[in-house]
Amino acid sequence: MATEVKVPQDLWQDDGMEAVITNWLASDGATVRKGALIAEIMVEKSQFEVTAPADGVLTITKQANDIVRKGDVIGTIA
Amino acid sequence: MGDIAAGRCGGAALLWSCERALVAPASLSRQPGFKRACSRANDAGWPVHLRATGGDLVPQGPDIVNLSLLFRAPPGAAFGLEDAYRQLTSPICEALSDAGISARYGAVPGAFCDGRFNITIAGRKFAGTAQRWRPMADGNAVQSHALMLMRSLDGNTVATLNRFYHDCGIDRVIDAGAHVGLHDLLAKDTDARAQHRILRMIAVRAHASEAHAPAANTRVLSRHLG
């Protein structure tokens, strides 16, 4: 069963604020370890590091420069 | 920040300044003209450094004082991005208020590294802010940062910023008049002492506000604080 990689739900309060994926640090199809830094997102001049929530193979579903909101799924790990 | 994420340090509040340079977010380095822009800036006496916080291109130098807070934020919705900005900017706004200077928050068109959590005075940018968050097992390690102008931007700085954007192929123009420095707000005969006093108040308040950093260690620069 795949584990979702999500934009954190509780890092900011304003539901209307949009973030952008500034960088994927792991490639689509790469094997990643739980806790590894795999992406960065930016909102209101704040850079958030996204870490892998599980071990496995990463599938990227939102690309760099895509706009995302809190709670959005940006990839999966299976 | 790595020490905080690893649990080796509870937190820190740093008031600091540095030599003249341009500091860019890592994302800017992916612009096709970035290398050429760096080369030209360096030739003009502005070495370029990359940083890990978000935002945009900023100048650094002796007329700029930075406040950096590093701390562990608790997990969950109890402490978020907006809280971190409030924690960072409150000591600055309170110190300015004590000095009779009214400050607000907001974006300023034409300002470098513009953002909603700028500290503004009379509609001009006095301080810019940015953050970086790193997940930990039991919360987040957070670095928040405010860049405060001691003097308004001079023509050389504005020209350097605009040339850098042009070389990167970015359509953005910085306006000197969108900024204000602390020096410009103080009476000429007392500005050195008043500036010293305001920065001292910011340092003390930042240290006291580090509720999430019990091991905070506030360091100050002798050049600005004597």
Side-chain angles (χ1 to χ4, degrees):
Chain A
M1 181 178 156
T3 302
E4 293 177 330
V5 180
K6 287 184 173 182
V7 177
Q9 183 68 251
D10 50 12
L11 284 178
W12 62 89
Q13 286 108 39
D14 185 348
D15 290 335
M17 277 200 321
E18 293 179 330
V20 62
I21 300 173
T22 52
N23 205 11
W24 274 103
L25 301 166
S27 304
D28 190 47
T31 299
V32 297
R33 301 295 303 268
K34 182 177 180 179
L37 175 61
I38 56 172
E40 293 175 327
I41 62 173
M42 187 160 75
V43 57
E44 292 290 356
K45 293 171 65 180
S46 298
Q47 192 88 10
F48 292 95
E49 296 180 355
V50 178
T51 54
D55 293 339
V57 175
L58 173 67
T59 299
I60 292 174
T61 56
K62 295 275 190 180
Q63 306 302 316
N65 299 319
D66 279 359
I67 302 295
V68 293
R69 293 175 181 271
K70 59 183 186 179
D72 279 0
V73 176
I74 61 174
T76 57
I77 296 174
Chain B
M1 189 166 181
D3 284 347
I4 290 169
R8 292 189 291 269
C9 174
L14 308 172
L15 197 61
W16 57 276
S17 188
C18 64
E19 298 300 315
R20 193 168 75 166
L22 295 180
V23 183
S27 56
L28 202 56
S29 67
R30 293 191 287 277
Q31 292 292 324
F34 182 76
K35 281 188 178 174
R36 179 168 182 268
C38 288
S39 176
R40 290 189 67 186
N42 192 62
D43 290 346
W46 291 83
V48 181
H49 303 279
L50 294 179
R51 69 169 190 273
T53 51
D56 207 338
L57 184 69
V58 301
Q60 284 285 353
D63 289 329
I64 288 171
V65 174
N66 302 275
L67 174 63
S68 298
L69 303 182
L70 297 113
F71 56 94
R72 302 175 71 167
F79 191 93
L81 178 154
E82 296 95 332
D83 301 300
Y85 274 128
R86 271 191 290 274
Q87 183 186 19
L88 172 71
T89 55
S90 291
I92 300 170
C93 291
E94 288 171 9
L96 290 171
S97 177
D98 285 354
I101 299 169
S102 177
R104 311 181 76 152
Y105 302 101
V108 180
F112 69 84
C113 196
D114 195 22
R116 194 156 64 95
F117 292 94
N118 290 332
I119 297 174
T120 67
I121 298 169
R124 298 162 73 187
K125 177 172 179 169
F126 164 67
T129 56
Q131 299 178 31
R132 183 170 184 83
W133 288 60
R134 177 173 298 171
M136 302 166 54
D138 56 347
N140 289 280
V142 181
Q143 174 190 353
S144 60
H145 180 97
L147 180 161
M148 298 177 283
L149 298 173
M150 296 299 104
R151 293 177 184 272
S152 294
L153 295 189
D154 61 23
N156 178 24
T157 304
V158 172
T160 300
L161 291 167
N162 286 331
R163 185 173 59 240
F164 195 94
Y165 282 127
H166 179 266
D167 289 344
C168 282
I170 296 172
D171 183 21
R172 193 168 300 152
V173 177
I174 304 305
D175 173 13
H179 309 82
V180 65
L182 193 54
H183 176 87
D184 308 299
L185 302 164
L186 304 170
K188 291 287 184 280
D189 57 340
T190 62
D191 65 349
R193 274 181 298 150
Q195 181 173 307
H196 175 114
R197 182 165 49 84
I198 291 169
L199 289 173
R200 175 72 68 183
M201 284 193 291
I202 291 171
V204 169
R205 288 170 187 274
H207 185 72
S209 73
E210 278 288 83
H212 299 284
N217 174 21
T218 305
R219 303 171 203 166
V220 296
L221 274 181
S222 58
R223 183 179 185 283
H224 289 287
L225 297 182

